[in-house]
Amino acid sequence: MALNVFDHDEYRPPVWKSYLYQLQQEAPHPRRLTCTCEVDNRPKYYGREYHGMISREEADQLLSQAEGSYLIRESQRQPGTYTLALRFGNQTRNFRLYHDGKHFVGEKRFESIHDLVTDGLITLYIETKAAEYIAKMTINPIYEHVGYTTLNQEPTLKKHLPLSPEAPDGPAPVKDNCNAEERLTSLVRRATLRESDLAPKYEKVHNFKVHTFRGPHWCEYCANFMWGLIAQGVKCADCGLNVHKQCSKVVPNDCQPDLRHVKKVYSCDLTTLVKAHNTKRPMVVDMCIQELETRGLQSEGLYRISGFSELIEDVKLAFDRDGEKADISSNAYEDINIITGALKLYFRELPIPLITYDAHPRFIEAAKITDPEKRLESLHEALKLLPPAHCETLRYLMAHLKRVTQHEKENLMSSENLGIVFGPTLMRAPELDAMTALNDIRYQRLVVETLITNEDVLF
C-alpha cells in the first residue's frame, strides 16, 4: 500500500540504527549467587541471593568467579540497610538497595531483583562500551528529516512513496493484515499528516512521560535503539512520540496531538486541545459563546446566575463524548444559565489557567498601576507572555464579554460585574499563602474589567 508523504529534498525513509541493539544482546546475563546456609532475619522480599551481614571483601571474593553474578547483603556499617553487590567489568560494584513494594537503586522500579540486575547490566554495558557514541546521538537526528520540520516546510501532499517491506535494523515487523496507519511509528505517521492551510501555527511542547516499551523500540528523534528492560525512554502522552530521555531535552516544541491520545475536552490542556482538533480556539468556547449570543445576551444576570449543576455536568459530558457534535441548543438546554455555567466550568477545569501561572504575576502588577495609560501598556506587555492559543481564546472571550456589556440595561451585567465573575476563573493564582491570594482577588477583577473595556485596544 502506498502512503502519502511530503515531497522534500531531505526526506529519507527512517534507517534504524542497530549498534546499541547489538550491544544489548552482548550484555552480561545475571547470575544469582545463592546462599547455601540458612540466614536469620532475611527480609521476606529477598530470596536465596540474600547472604546476610557479610563484608564487602567477602562479597567481592564470592562474586569474583563470574561476570554478571550478584548477591544481596546487609550493610555492616548501617544495619537494617541492604546492598546489591554486582560483578561487572572484573570488579564488584555496590549499590544501596531499596524496597517500597518494588525494588530499586535509582529512578527505575522493578518487580524482581532479577529484572533490576538484568536492566542494570544492560545499562552498565552499553554506557561503558558506547559512552562517546551516546554523547553524540543527538547530532544530525533523523527527526530533522522526517519530523514536524518536514511537515511544516511543505504542507501540500505531492507524492506517494511505498512503505518499504524490509526493515532489517528496525522494530519487529507486524502482521500483514494490519492497516497502514498501524504499521507506522508515530514518527513516520507525522510525515503523512495533512496540514490545513487555515490551521493555526501554535507551538506546543511535548508532554513526555517515562514509558516502558514492550519489545524492541527505536528512538524517533535519533533513530538509535532504546535500551534497557523497563522505562527505556519517554513517550509524549499527546502525540505518541517515543524518544530517549536525553533526546527529549532537544526535541523541538512541535507536538501535534493525536485525537486517539486526547480523550476529552474538559480538563485538557488548551493548546493540546486546539492542536488536536486543528482549531483556533477550543470548540466548547466557540459553541457556547455562539449559543449565548444567539439567545442570551439580554438575559438578566448573565454569567452571574448559576445554572442547575447536574445539567451543567451533562453539557460537560456531552462535549467530552461528542466534541463539536454536542447539542447545546435550546431544545436540549432551555435555561441559558446552563450554557454560561458550562463555559465557566471549562475555564475553571483547565490544568493551566487561561491567564497562565507564568503570566499571572505580570497581570497582577499591571492591575496595581494607578495611571490608566501605563496600566494598559503594562497589560499589553503581559499579554505577550501568554501562549498564542491562550491569547487568541482570551481575545475572543473578551470581545464576547464586551458585547454582553452593551446589553447592560437588559442583563444588568457591567464590565465590573463580569470582572468579579471571571477574575478568579480566568487567572487562578499559583501557590500563594491565603492572605496574598485574598488580596489578589480585587486585582484579578480589575484585570478582567480592563481587558473587557479596552478589548479593541489591547488585542
Side-chain angles (χ1 to χ4, degrees), residues 266 306-317 333 337-343 345 348:
Y266 280 68
S306 299
F308 190 45
S309 58
E310 287 188 11
L311 292 178
I312 291 172
E313 194 67 23
D314 283 347
V315 175
K316 170 186 172 180
L317 294 175
Y333 303 100
N337 298 310
I338 293 168
I339 308 304
T340 61
L343 182 59
L345 180 63
R348 280 201 303 274

Side-chain angles (χ1 to χ4, degrees), residues 410-430:
E410 295 82 20
N411 60 38
L412 307 180
M413 294 303 290
S414 64
S415 58
E416 182 179 357
N417 291 337
L418 290 168
I420 293 171
V421 172
F422 277 96
T425 300
L426 301 184
M427 49 185 308
R428 301 192 305 274

Side-chain angles (χ1 to χ4, degrees), residues 320-339:
D320 283 342
R321 182 184 63 245
D322 304 325
E324 61 187 14
K325 295 180 181 178
D327 182 7
I328 59 170
S329 67
S330 58
N331 293 331
Y333 303 100
E334 185 177 356
D335 183 1
I336 198 66
N337 298 310
I338 293 168
I339 308 304

Side-chain angles (χ1 to χ4, degrees), residues 163-203:
L163 179 68
S164 173
E166 299 180 7
D169 290 335
V174 294
K175 295 179 182 178
D176 290 339
N177 62 355
C178 290
N179 62 42
E181 191 172 4
E182 289 173 338
R183 297 186 191 196
L184 299 173
T185 64
S186 60
L187 173 68
V188 183
R189 187 168 62 246
R190 188 161 289 109
T192 74
L193 297 171
R194 178 188 293 274
E195 186 174 28
S196 166
D197 291 338
L198 300 176
K201 302 289 194 297
Y202 293 146
E203 183 179 273

Side-chain angles (χ1 to χ4, degrees), residues 218-255:
W218 274 252
C219 175
E220 295 174 343
Y221 182 78
C222 71
N224 281 289
F225 179 66
M226 301 168 78
W227 65 89
L229 202 62
I230 69 166
Q232 303 96 329
V234 294
K235 183 185 188 80
C236 178
D238 296 332
C239 73
L241 183 70
N242 307 316
V243 296
H244 292 109
K245 187 175 180 181
Q246 59 265 49
C247 289
S248 70
K249 299 171 184 176
V250 292
V251 171
N253 296 336
D254 58 1
C255 176

Side-chain angles (χ1 to χ4, degrees), residues 31-69:
R31 299 170 182 266
R32 183 173 75 150
L33 190 65
T34 58
C35 184
T36 56
C37 57
E38 286 298 322
V39 180
D40 293 334
N41 301 319
R42 181 178 72 192
K44 62 182 180 181
Y45 39 81
Y46 296 140
R48 298 297 299 275
E49 70 276 0
Y50 180 73
H51 285 246
M53 192 177 287
I54 62 173
S55 66
R56 282 179 172 239
E57 292 73 24
E58 289 175 286
D60 185 52
Q61 188 173 2
L62 289 169
L63 297 173
S64 61
Q65 296 181 7
E67 188 82 345
S69 57

Side-chain angles (χ1 to χ4, degrees), residues 7-25:
D7 184 16
H8 192 280
D9 291 341
E10 294 186 358
Y11 175 77
R12 298 288 184 276
V15 178
W16 306 108
K17 302 170 187 177
S18 60
Y19 174 53
L20 299 179
Y21 178 75
Q22 292 167 356
L23 287 182
Q24 175 157 312
Q25 305 308 304

